[in-house]
Amino acid sequence: GMGGTRDLWDSKRVAEYLGVTQSTVRSYVARKVMPQPDLKLGGRWVWLAQTIKEWHRLRPSQKQN
């Protein structure tokens, strides 16, 4: 199974995990910097926690910007 809703993160939760603001998350999605949301729940973007954790783990260091 996919686990419960605790394994689904909205943009607020993703922002907290990444240490950025929600508007930064939105801009990342718009610019395709980060994975697109896995689904939409009631008009809210939602990611599987695993999607974000994997992407973040493989992400090059921010210092290269």
Side-chain angles (χ1 to χ4, degrees):
M2 291 192 1
T5 49
R6 64 187 158 72
D7 295 318
L8 290 173
W9 291 1
D10 63 9
S11 60
K12 181 169 184 282
R13 180 71 185 84
V14 171
E16 283 166 9
Y17 180 79
L18 299 177
V20 299
T21 63
Q22 276 180 271
S23 61
T24 296
V25 169
R26 283 194 288 271
S27 109
Y28 279 178
V29 172
R31 288 167 30 221
K32 308 268 201 291
V33 172
M34 63 177 282
Q36 299 299 296
D38 288 298
L39 41 134
K40 253 190 146 179
L41 283 183
R44 278 168 47 210
W45 288 343
V46 188
W47 291 260
L48 295 169
Q50 198 56 34
T51 300
I52 299 299
K53 288 176 181 172
E54 278 294 298
W55 166 73
H56 191 59
R57 190 172 63 79
L58 300 171
R59 198 179 170 201
S61 135
Q62 299 267 43
K63 293 188 203 68
Q64 291 170 14
N65 286 355

